[in-house]
Amino acid sequence: MRQSSSYAVASVVVIGLLFHAVYLVSVLDIYFRSPIVHGMPLVHIGQELLPNNNSNVDRISPPRPLFSSSPSSSSPDQNDEDNDDEDVGPARRLVLFVGDGLRADKLLELDDEGNTNAPFIRSIIHKKGSWGISHTRMPTETRPGHVAMIAGLYEDVSAVMTGWQANPVEFDSVFNRSRNTFGWGSPDVLLMFAHHSPNVHVECYSSEMENFATNASILDTWVFEHVESLMSRAHVDAVLREKVSGPRTIFFLHLLGIDTTGHAYRPTSREYLENIKVVDEGVERMYNLFEEYLFLIFIYFYVIYVIYIQ
């Protein structure tokens, strides 16, 4: 009787272990699948899938590119300048501001006297631009969020094994599809997009500057000052001027100060609201800078404001 009871207990333990092993493997198999698909055809804005009568696979209509003529590979085609005016997308250049850690409620709210923390951005919202509020998904960290915005996918889940610090699987993005991308900001974000992309030119401050014990608005001020420095050099450097003013060019400003201040002082603090004002003033400076520079070389520009919701 005792032997039979021991056998029954052992059977239950073995079945329990097998069940939990299968359950764990199934969870990993379902949720830890890479979202990156290799070998897909390059698709541009304005393309349509046309039915193919000879096969079960739809064929793609002739592309209308995002910036200019379609590159034939993952690196930008440097010889398509003659086609830039023949087939132009919604914009010839893109200026992308990312306010990392910027809460929509703090950006849009008014104080007791009816004043706003970001008068310039609110004026763009009400008078010139289209806007919306996007809701993030887990993990709500800087790196996966930027991969989602710029590459259009959720980063490969195997990146969690590196603490979201490396690219276990290479992925495509709008940056490496551009002719030239100029970026300023945190090395945690900029360097992963510059990896193996010679057309992506980045300037990063040191990791030591990301200090929670100091005024983090200096990170955003650093970005604005270096953008102004680049534009000043472009006036006297013909090679740089050609890159900056050329079509299919992206300017990416990663503004980390608000996020750092929010972690250090909380989003309801005076320091957080003051950092929003710093960013708003800096964005206005950049707006005027690009408007003046691009007006002088007879082009137009397109600006996107990205609001991060914590």
Side-chain angles (χ1 to χ4, degrees):
M1 185 67 179
R2 179 177 298 178
Q3 184 178 2
S4 176
S5 177
S6 300
Y7 178 79
V9 171
S11 299
V12 171
V13 171
V14 171
I15 293 174
L17 292 175
L18 290 175
F19 171 80
H20 284 85
V22 172
Y23 184 78
L24 179 61
V25 171
S26 67
V27 170
L28 295 176
D29 182 66
I30 293 171
Y31 293 102
F32 276 68
R33 284 184 176 270
S34 175
I36 301 174
V37 179
H38 296 281
M40 300 295 292
L42 181 63
V43 180
H44 297 276
I45 291 177
Q47 286 185 241
E48 298 178 356
L49 290 177
L50 302 178
N52 191 338
N53 298 327
N54 297 325
S55 67
N56 295 326
V57 180
D58 291 339
R59 59 190 177 90
I60 299 175
S61 66
R64 181 174 183 268
L66 176 61
F67 294 110
S68 60
S69 299
S70 169
S72 59
S73 63
S74 60
S75 60
D77 186 356
Q78 300 295 332
N79 299 318
D80 59 355
E81 293 186 11
D82 296 338
N83 300 323
D84 289 336
D85 294 331
E86 298 177 3
D87 194 3
V88 182
R92 292 173 63 84
R93 294 152 195 89
L94 174 70
V95 182
L96 174 62
F97 299 91
V98 176
D100 202 335
L102 176 58
R103 286 178 39 159
D105 57 343
K106 298 302 178 183
L107 176 69
L108 301 175
E109 71 180 7
L110 301 176
D111 59 21
D112 296 337
E113 299 179 356
N115 298 320
T116 174
N117 297 313
F120 177 73
I121 295 179
R122 281 181 64 94
S123 69
I124 293 293
I125 289 175
H126 290 298
K127 299 177 181 179
K128 295 183 179 181
S130 300
W131 69 287
I133 299 176
S134 61
H135 296 270
T136 186
R137 57 167 280 181
M138 299 297 289
T140 55
E141 292 196 22
T142 293
R143 178 192 168 100
H146 281 78
V147 172
M149 287 189 295
I150 297 168
L153 54 89
Y154 296 113
E155 189 172 11
D156 194 287
V157 291
S158 59
V160 72
M161 306 305 294
T162 65
W164 304 109
Q165 297 298 315
N167 290 340
V169 180
E170 294 298 326
F171 56 85
D172 204 4
S173 75
V174 67
F175 287 173
N176 66 279
R177 290 291 174 180
S178 68
R179 173 166 293 168
N180 284 290
T181 291
F182 297 91
W184 301 266
S186 171
D188 295 337
V189 173
L190 272 297
L191 295 182
M192 68 173 171
F193 290 106
H195 188 57
H196 294 319
S197 298
N199 61 307
V200 180
H201 318 281
V202 300
E203 293 184 67
C204 307
Y205 40 72
S206 64
S207 301
E208 289 73 19
M209 290 184 64
E210 301 177 20
N211 191 341
F212 290 94
T214 61
N215 180 11
S217 64
I218 61 173
L219 302 178
D220 303 328
T221 303
W222 186 97
V223 171
F224 297 138
E225 290 176 349
H226 279 70
V227 175
E228 293 171 332
S229 174
L230 176 79
M231 291 304 179
S232 297
R233 298 197 308 271
H235 281 289
V236 297
D237 187 333
V239 175
L240 179 59
R241 181 167 61 250
E242 182 180 358
K243 291 182 178 180
V244 170
S245 61
R248 208 164 72 238
T249 299
I250 299 177
F251 303 93
F252 172 47
L253 287 72
H254 176 230
L255 307 172
L256 183 63
I258 296 177
D259 183 64
T260 305
T261 301
H263 285 296
Y265 297 98
R266 314 312 302 168
T268 56
S269 65
R270 178 180 58 83
E271 290 80 3
Y272 185 85
L273 300 180
E274 288 295 330
N275 205 151
I276 293 179
K277 294 179 181 179
V278 170
V279 167
D280 183 72
E281 294 171 357
V283 169
E284 183 175 13
R285 281 166 49 196
M286 297 300 100
Y287 180 94
N288 295 329
L289 175 67
F290 281 108
E291 186 176 55
E292 176 184 4
Y293 183 83
L294 299 181
F295 174 77
L296 291 175
I297 57 177
F298 303 101
I299 63 176
Y300 68 95
F301 76 113
Y302 183 68
V303 181
I304 292 180
Y305 299 96
V306 179
I307 301 175
Y308 251 17
I309 302 176
Q310 289 182 333

